[in-house]
Amino acid sequence: MQTGQIDLIAFGPEHLDAAVGLSRQAGWPHRPEDWQMALALSEGVVAVEGDRIVGTVLVTSYKEDCATINMVIVDEAMRGRGLGRELMDAALRIAGSRPLRLVATAEGLPLYEKLGFRETGRVLQHQGVVGKMAAPAGVEPANTSDFAAIAELDHGAFGGDRGKLIAYIATIGEFAVIRREGQVCGFAALRPFGRGEVIGPVIAANLDDAKALTAYFIARRPGQFLRVDTTAVTGLAPWLAERKLAHVGGGIAMMKPVSQPAAGFFATTYALANQALG
């Protein structure tokens, strides 16, 4: 097939409809609203051939702490031409000197390894229509005065300032917290995503608290489609499967350079649209 010149230009709101089309082509569940959220928190580029968008990439920066590379998509008709590498090179320029994270598919793994990314774990995607369950004790809705503590806990667990993400989720979803001695010591978020809603991030001091925070939202959504992204090391996956949230896939968590997460916290991988979890 004869093709023309491909240009990389800044990703703007006018490109969202085409981006949704590319993610649907890839079999990802992202709605226009999910792309809008990703773009609102990120900057990136699109690859343009003539009047067609044939590739996307977004970089979500958490101040100077780190950045994640998301939504790396190449039109299926354009694959094998090095466009994925060009998109990644553009993402690296946007990210600058920040440590980088991404979640890779098996197909994308060789490219990311060539670019210096190294595997740090496996992301497990669980989803399904949940049944009825009792609301857990000790979990309550967050209030506006809790968000400073939520952001601080999240920063400690994630290793980057996700204050903008927390604030955005607060406008479209809801938060729940665990308090001890009057202090917030764990939280979970729920927001619309894809076929239903996603629970995450979940930040807790131990597995029992993580289960309670997740159960709080499951109990509020009987008969609804929910998704939770976690990692194997948290130990949450078997419990999720018992609650009709089946393991349906996931991806390979990677970092460049590799750094260790903060100790003392349980953290799920949040589902801010990324290329391996569509």
Side-chain angles (χ1 to χ4, degrees), residues 101-130:
R101 309 180 190 188
L102 56 77
V103 180
T105 60
E107 293 78 10
L109 185 62
L111 170 60
Y112 302 137
E113 289 179 332
K114 288 179 182 177
L115 292 171
F117 288 84
R118 295 295 177 262
E119 180 176 343
T120 60
R122 297 286 169 136
V123 176
L124 307 177
Q125 179 183 333
H126 286 258
Q127 63 185 39
V129 177
V130 296

Side-chain angles (χ1 to χ4, degrees), residues 21-206:
L22 283 178
S23 60
R24 288 175 178 167
Q25 181 194 82
W28 298 0
H30 299 76
R31 308 164 304 147
E33 295 87 348
D34 302 324
W35 272 99
Q36 288 168 2
M37 175 177 172
L39 183 58
L41 296 168
S42 312
E43 60 180 308
V45 300
V46 295
V48 182
E49 183 190 44
D51 59 357
R52 288 198 313 130
I53 304 298
V54 295
T56 62
V57 66
L58 289 174
V59 178
T60 311
S61 298
Y62 304 105
K63 295 189 175 178
E64 296 304 314
D65 297 328
C66 62
T68 58
I69 297 178
N70 312 296
M71 308 308 286
V72 183
I73 310 179
V74 175
D75 188 297
E76 59 187 18
M78 307 298 292
R79 293 172 190 169
R81 299 180 54 191
L83 182 53
R85 175 60 186 261
E86 291 187 41
L87 290 166
M88 283 298 298
D89 286 344
L92 295 177
R93 289 192 292 272
I94 292 170
S97 60
R98 297 177 181 88
L100 292 173
R101 309 180 190 188
L102 56 77
V103 180
T105 60
E107 293 78 10
L109 185 62
L111 170 60
Y112 302 137
E113 289 179 332
K114 288 179 182 177
L115 292 171
F117 288 84
R118 295 295 177 262
E119 180 176 343
T120 60
R122 297 286 169 136
V123 176
L124 307 177
Q125 179 183 333
H126 286 258
Q127 63 185 39
V129 177
V130 296
K132 293 182 179 180
M133 69 177 299
V139 183
E140 61 187 75
N143 56 56
T144 54
S145 64
D146 293 327
F147 283 104
I150 287 171
E152 183 177 354
L153 284 175
D154 186 75
H155 195 167
F158 181 73
D161 187 337
R162 296 197 292 186
K164 288 184 178 179
L165 170 65
I166 298 297
Y168 196 105
I169 294 175
T171 68
I172 62 171
E174 54 187 294
F175 284 83
V177 298
I178 292 175
R179 302 182 202 276
R180 292 194 175 94
E181 299 180 355
Q183 302 297 315
V184 174
C185 59
F187 76 88
L190 176 79
R191 66 177 175 86
F193 177 82
R195 295 171 57 188
E197 294 174 290
V198 62
I199 301 172
V202 177
I203 304 297
N206 54 61

Side-chain angles (χ1 to χ4, degrees), residues 5-28:
Q5 178 178 331
I6 297 175
D7 297 310
L8 300 184
I9 63 174
F11 196 144
E14 67 274 18
H15 304 128
L16 285 171
D17 287 345
V20 172
L22 283 178
S23 60
R24 288 175 178 167
Q25 181 194 82
W28 298 0

Side-chain angles (χ1 to χ4, degrees), residues 233-249:
V233 297
T234 64
L236 190 64
W239 182 87
L240 292 170
E242 291 171 0
R243 273 118 195 111
K244 299 184 180 180
L245 292 165
H247 177 214
V248 297

